[in-house]
Amino acid sequence: MAYNGNITDYAKQYISATDVTDDLKTFFSRDTGINVVQTGAGEAAAGVLWYAQGTTNAAVSVIAGGQPDVLVGTGGVSAGDEVASDANGAAVVAVSSDVVLGIARHDAAEDELVRIEFLGEAQYTKA
């Protein structure tokens, strides 16, 4: 997939207490203050981790809007699916009681990247 240039306007800067360079392109949530942690299963997210320095207590960039690319978890996703976070911050098909973080723009298999329409403040709990 080509470079996704539409996301840079949505980058927000945070701090991560741990080295999260292996977690790029997964969902992240605000923890306390300007700190972020990887999003847990079915939880709300601040955005998708886009950049991280290879150290602890370092600056990270989280894409908080637009159409970021996200790593796909177990089961894959299809175009139009409502997506949520799994326990590892990957995109999975949302089920009842999950917070819907975005809508898949195309089909993607497990461990591939899917471009989503990130819902930002419009996230909602799936009925």
Side-chain angles (χ1 to χ4, degrees):
M1 183 170 286
Y3 171 72
N4 188 358
N6 76 352
I7 59 176
T8 55
D9 290 340
Y10 298 102
K12 296 191 181 288
Q13 306 307 309
Y14 295 99
I15 300 292
S16 178
T18 60
D19 181 350
V20 293
T21 52
D22 290 337
D23 300 323
L24 295 176
K25 309 273 179 143
T26 62
F27 291 113
F28 267 67
S29 302
R30 291 183 74 177
D31 187 20
T32 57
I34 61 170
N35 295 317
V36 289
V37 295
Q38 194 170 56
T39 303
E43 297 178 350
V48 176
L49 184 64
W50 183 49
Y51 171 79
Q53 295 177 347
T55 60
T56 59
N57 295 317
V60 298
S61 293
V62 172
I63 302 303
Q67 296 180 17
D69 296 329
V70 184
L71 182 68
V72 176
T74 303
V77 297
S78 297
D81 280 348
E82 296 170 307
V83 297
S85 175
D86 70 7
N88 299 310
V92 293
V93 176
V95 297
S96 180
S97 78
D98 283 348
V99 175
V100 176
L101 304 176
I103 308 298
R105 305 282 293 161
H106 57 88
D107 297 351
E110 183 176 342
D111 294 327
E112 291 183 345
L113 293 176
V114 64
R115 185 158 296 167
I116 66 165
E117 184 70 40
F118 185 69
L119 295 178
E121 294 181 11
Q123 295 172 29
Y124 58 91
T125 301
K126 186 167 178 72

